[in-house]
Amino acid sequence: MKPFFIAALFTFISSISFAQTQGTVQGRVIDKNTQEAIIGGYVEVLGNGSKTATDLDGNYLLQIPTGTYNVQFTFPGYTTLIKYNIVVTSGNAQIVNFEVVEQETKIDEVVITSKNDKRADATDMVTPLSVQSLTTEEIKSNPGGNYDVSKVVQTLPGVGGSQGGAARNDIIIRGGAPNENVYYLDGIEIPVLNHFQTQGSSGGAQGIVNVSFIEEVKLTSSAFDARYDNALASTFVIKQRQGNNQKFSGNVRASFTESAVTLEGPLGKKTDFLSSARFSYLDFLFQLIDLPIRPRYQDYQLKVTHKLNEKTTISLIGLGAVDKFKFGETRESTPENTYFRRSMPFIEQWNYTTGVAVKRLIKKGYVNIALSRNMFNNQLDRFSDEQYQNEAFRNFGLNSQEIENKLRIDVNKYLNGWKFAYGVSGQYVKYNTSIFNKVSSEVLDTNGVVIQPAVEINFKSAIEFFKFGAFGQVSRNFFSNKLLVSAGLRTDMNTFTNDGLNPLSTLSPRLSAAFSLTPKFELTASVGQYYKIAPYTVLGYRDAQNELVNKSTDYIGSTHYVFGGQFLPNEALRITVEGFYKDYQDYPVSVVNGISLANQGQEFGAVGNEAVQSIGKGQTYGFEVFVQQKMVKKIFYFVSYTYVRSLFSGADNKLIASAWDNQHLLSGTVGYKFGKNWQVGLKYRLAGGAPYTPFNLNASQQNYALLGTGVLDYTKLNTERLKTFSQLDIRIDKTWNFKRTSIIFFVDVQNVTASKQQGTPYYTFKRNEDNTAFVTTDGQALKSDGSNAIPVLLENVSTTVTPTIGLILEF
């Protein structure tokens, strides 16, 4: 009955949709280097014939039949630029902006001259290599991506995920830890990108940023622009579009897991807005499928843009989220469900980033000023024996806040073929924390004498300090645009660490180049030094004497060497090959267990609340291959392969495989546009088994009753490996266009082949048949030291197929 009903519904919708509906493509065209409007340039819809000229403000608007198109901009003296895979519906206007460069300079585009004078790809003048970009349509239509930027980028070259594959949004770039990435939204740093984020790291469960806001995402894995501080592995730059300045519009998205609404429109002749809110109901879904966890989240996003005058634009930006994670009763009691309730903490988090960004055009350039504030509040609570909210059974508690107030100013100029930028930044930082952690129980001999006392961490801390930095960047083309050279310099300081005010200790030069052997083939190379301050969880740690013992921590350093090449066979096909080597210095190493913090951050909660020494080293190296075909004749695809080794040392100074040493990363995505607005996409991912550390069986048995989980054996750090991870995802989209609205139906299925996905095993004690108590060797109640327990390792293997079915209404 249900299949018949759905088929009948689709038939009814199709019968009332209009055969020839119209949609809108609109946007603005500006000079990439000066940000000035391009007047009188032509925007053409390829294959359709529709064309229009930009007005005095660089704006254009086209009314065309709904469908999928490639849109081209041409203007004498400027490079031709094509935007691919532009989906035009009758509901929302497609905002398609162009940033173009003068033809005589190789600044932002590598131009391939063909009989149609089409452009193949872009090479950034500041960062001419190790750059990948995604458009909003590529993010929306990505199979298994679920409208989440963090999941989609894991298909790009050099990008890996967390242990076990798909459970978290850890972004591992070329073997570096998740906290080595930095994220910017319209020039404003957003420290928290995910719901249920791990404090001291950056991974989480689900991305916060609304895809409807995104114009482009640019991921740079080396040769970083000097304006960005604290990046060791990547910069993740998200460019938001403006709201529709012509009319009020929006969209509503609803699926089995969440609902979201996005609204936009004009607030006057010079002002527009873009806003959204999203609410999940995963807790109801997990209750329905009888899982013990009950996560729920919500997020909000806002952008208001006001054109103060012809040269000055002001943007107000806001992003925030609220997350709650708790437990519930299940209909079926299993050892796995019991383990989850004993081992995982309750989580309550909220965060926000707000800011004002001002762009002022000046002669041959522009100035950016960004003033922002962000706060992250993190509360974790865990209790033994499922005695929730009973303080006598508490084994972990954390209440922490990270607050940053930031000012960034940069000047960008383009003069006589030289592009240069310089600027300064300042931050006022506050970090507060209160932590209680029972590390281990006391151990008694047969006579009841204590032979090992209990270990507890219990402290409160509050620190505040300033961070500031300065940078300069310059680039130019030489030898008739065959050679592009870019150089930058940066330094960062702080008032907290002992050596923090020495600008020479963080002086970070970088140099990159691209040489065109032919119009279709170029070689690229870069070398650079980069620095990052230790996480606030490390800096704010106090010992039993209430001393801030980590003030001697150094900035973490990383030296990058990259060499590669790019081949552009035609206007829509790009092939890149790059080899990389990264050398790490002064990585924090735990005083307690002697392991590098580079191995931490793959679990929910917090990392870094301990004494450390800046003695760790690291090496990551490998190569990556990437093939990208933009949409031509209804098909687009990209394939990437990365070989990577990730090795870090602890207190013993021996380089061993880190937790991110997958070695092999393979991904491929293909999409095809059928007739009548049907689209199908497939994505396949494969990752080599990640290393993990086995349990210390004796310590685990002694402490499980207290901790609810096993104790790792750090003498065997990362000596075991998970099995290879693989997953095939499929997505199907169908669009119905009406006169002023459109409906998009989508089905997104993750792990459609039910492939086995292995995670690290769980340590627990054997339970009785009805799972009401632990089985013991003597038939008595479980002893606190676990001496009468029967240890068990639960296999952590999932074959779950995760379908998402939803509707989007555009109006």
Side-chain angles (χ1 to χ4, degrees), residues 656-703:
I656 63 170
S658 79
W660 324 112
D661 186 52
N662 291 97
Q663 299 189 17
H664 301 282
L665 301 170
L666 174 67
S667 69
T669 301
V670 60
Y672 187 82
K673 306 273 187 175
F674 291 91
K676 298 184 179 180
N677 298 320
W678 285 92
Q679 177 177 325
V680 175
L682 291 171
K683 179 176 70 178
Y684 177 75
R685 284 191 297 149
L686 180 146
Y692 72 94
T693 303
F695 293 107
N696 182 320
L697 298 182
N698 289 332
S700 295
Q701 185 165 358
Q702 293 170 359
N703 292 284

Side-chain angles (χ1 to χ4, degrees), residues 525-579:
S526 73
V527 60
Q529 177 69 36
Y530 310 99
Y531 289 99
K532 170 183 170 57
I533 196 170
Y536 298 142
T537 51
V538 169
L539 300 180
Y541 174 77
R542 294 179 185 267
D543 63 9
Q545 288 72 45
N546 202 35
E547 296 291 330
L548 292 165
V549 297
N550 291 330
K551 293 192 72 171
S552 61
T553 303
D554 295 323
Y555 278 78
I556 307 168
S558 182
T559 309
H560 292 204
Y561 306 90
V562 183
F563 179 78
Q566 179 172 250
F567 178 52
L568 309 170
N570 58 52
E571 68 270 17
L573 179 61
R574 175 188 181 213
I575 303 171
T576 64
V577 179
E578 286 188 4

Side-chain angles (χ1 to χ4, degrees), residues 123-180:
T123 297
D124 191 280
M125 186 174 186
V126 175
T127 310
L129 73 167
S130 303
V131 177
Q132 307 295 340
S133 62
L134 293 168
T135 65
T136 182
E137 185 59 33
E138 289 170 328
I139 298 168
K140 289 178 180 177
S141 62
N142 187 274
N146 198 25
Y147 298 93
D148 189 341
V149 176
S150 299
K151 285 184 172 64
V152 176
V153 299
Q154 292 183 26
T155 63
L156 295 176
V159 185
S162 58
Q163 290 183 344
R168 285 170 50 91
N169 273 356
D170 296 308
I171 299 176
I172 315 301
I173 308 292
R174 291 179 172 177
N179 66 0
E180 296 177 19

Side-chain angles (χ1 to χ4, degrees), residues 150-367:
S150 299
K151 285 184 172 64
V152 176
V153 299
Q154 292 183 26
T155 63
L156 295 176
V159 185
S162 58
Q163 290 183 344
R168 285 170 50 91
N169 273 356
D170 296 308
I171 299 176
I172 315 301
I173 308 292
R174 291 179 172 177
N179 66 0
E180 296 177 19
N181 311 306
V182 295
Y183 308 93
Y184 283 83
L185 188 70
D186 287 350
I188 291 176
E189 186 176 4
I190 47 172
V192 180
L193 189 69
N194 291 295
H195 291 285
F196 304 106
Q197 179 147 315
T198 301
Q199 190 172 13
S201 186
S202 66
Q206 173 74 30
I208 294 175
V209 177
N210 185 340
V211 175
S212 295
F213 281 56
I214 295 175
E215 181 176 328
E216 182 185 51
V217 176
K218 185 168 76 170
L219 176 68
T220 305
S221 50
S222 194
F224 310 131
D225 190 328
R227 75 185 68 227
Y228 302 122
D229 62 308
N230 254 13
L232 294 183
S234 79
T235 60
F236 198 109
V237 180
I238 303 172
K239 183 178 180 181
Q240 297 184 113
R241 65 179 179 87
Q242 287 184 216
N244 190 331
N245 58 12
Q246 300 294 315
K247 68 173 185 175
F248 178 82
S249 60
N251 65 74
V252 177
R253 186 178 81 242
S255 69
F256 289 159
T257 59
E258 63 182 25
S259 293
V261 58
T262 301
L263 301 175
E264 60 182 305
L267 293 175
K269 292 183 178 180
K270 296 184 177 182
T271 309
D272 56 69
F273 80 96
L274 189 58
S275 64
S276 73
R278 176 172 58 166
F279 301 88
S280 81
Y281 24 86
L282 280 170
D283 48 346
F284 297 119
L285 176 63
F286 287 0
Q287 182 177 0
L288 183 66
I289 61 179
D290 205 32
L291 290 178
I293 56 177
R294 301 287 189 268
R296 174 177 283 198
Y297 59 81
Q298 56 196 59
D299 54 59
Y300 308 89
Q301 196 166 341
L302 173 70
K303 180 177 181 179
V304 178
T305 305
H306 176 67
K307 188 174 182 180
L308 190 63
N309 53 48
E310 293 301 316
K311 294 185 176 295
T312 308
T313 303
I314 301 175
S315 297
L316 303 178
I317 293 170
L319 180 68
V322 179
D323 309 324
K324 291 187 178 183
F325 181 97
K326 60 182 182 179
F327 301 97
E329 294 298 324
T330 54
R331 296 184 297 276
E332 181 182 1
S333 181
T334 66
E336 288 80 6
N337 289 344
T338 300
Y339 174 83
F340 290 141
R341 285 193 288 261
R342 293 175 61 92
S343 64
M344 298 180 69
F346 288 81
I347 302 174
E348 288 197 20
Q349 295 182 349
W350 55 262
N351 70 84
Y352 68 81
T353 299
T354 60
V356 180
V358 179
K359 178 178 287 184
R360 171 73 177 178
L361 301 186
I362 58 178
K363 185 177 181 180
K364 295 294 185 180
Y366 57 98
V367 178

